[in-house]
């Protein structure tokens, strides 16, 4: 028995798809064809075709990473990590400049004390 094979009621192995079609033919015997189910099927097929084209276009453009909406922007994980790294670098730079500023102020105050004393 292969993948997707199902044993029918009479013991014959069939693919699940053909068995489902057979059941549908038996269940609709003597009735009008259901147009809403055909319309629904066509609608689903169109949706799947549209989505597959969208995915194919993303693959062609190299946009295969997941993107997360953050406020008004959307970032992939790599873009988010890059943004955080830039933020951390800027924050570290500001911290170093503030330390340098305080060190210079302390030196000036020490000079004043030395000159006055």
């Amino acid at each position: 028995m292969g993948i997707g094979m199902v044993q029918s009621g009479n013991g014959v192995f069939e693919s699940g798809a053909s068995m489902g079609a057979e059941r549908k033919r038996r269940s609709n015997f003597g009735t009008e064809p259901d147009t809403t189910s055909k319309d629904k099927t066509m609608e689903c097929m169109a949706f799947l075709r549209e989505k597959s084209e969208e995915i194919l276009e993303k693959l062609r453009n190299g946009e295969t990473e997941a993107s997360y909406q953050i406020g008004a922007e959307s970032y992939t994980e790599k873009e988010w990590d890059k943004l955080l790294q830039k933020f951390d670098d800027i924050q570290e730079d500001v911290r170093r400049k503030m330390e340098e500023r305080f060190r210079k102020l302390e030196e000036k105050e020490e000079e004043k004390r030395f000159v006055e004393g």
Side-chain angles (χ1 to χ4, degrees):
M1 178 158 80
I3 297 175
M5 300 297 285
V6 180
Q7 187 174 7
S8 66
N10 57 6
V12 177
F13 289 102
E14 300 179 282
S15 71
S18 66
M19 202 172 152
E22 179 63 28
R23 283 187 185 146
K24 189 172 184 176
R25 279 195 297 269
R26 278 188 254 147
S27 66
N28 289 338
F29 184 72
T31 63
E32 286 293 317
D34 189 10
T35 56
T36 58
S37 68
K38 286 183 182 179
D39 292 343
K40 194 79 155 168
T41 301
M42 294 301 287
E43 188 178 309
C44 288
M45 288 176 67
F47 175 77
L48 289 173
R49 191 176 313 110
E50 191 177 302
K51 283 297 179 183
S52 65
E53 288 173 7
E54 186 179 310
I55 291 169
L56 185 60
E57 186 65 29
K58 284 184 176 184
L59 285 172
R60 286 182 184 141
N61 294 337
E63 301 170 357
T64 55
E65 283 189 69
S67 182
Y68 303 99
Q69 190 73 26
I70 300 172
E73 296 292 324
S74 180
Y75 298 98
T76 63
E77 289 182 19
K78 283 183 184 177
E79 291 171 333
W80 182 251
D81 289 341
K82 189 176 178 180
L83 177 71
L84 289 179
Q85 186 60 46
K86 282 183 182 178
F87 181 82
D88 289 345
D89 291 345
I90 290 170
Q91 194 173 25
E92 181 65 25
D93 189 46
V94 168
R95 187 188 59 77
R96 272 190 253 119
K97 287 180 180 177
M98 290 298 292
E99 285 177 354
E100 181 69 22
R101 183 176 172 197
F102 286 130
R103 188 182 56 77
K104 286 181 180 180
L105 281 174
E106 286 177 353
E107 286 176 0
K108 284 183 181 179
E109 287 179 10
E110 198 171 301
E111 265 183 42
K112 277 186 184 178
R113 283 188 223 137
F114 184 72
V115 171
E116 290 175 357

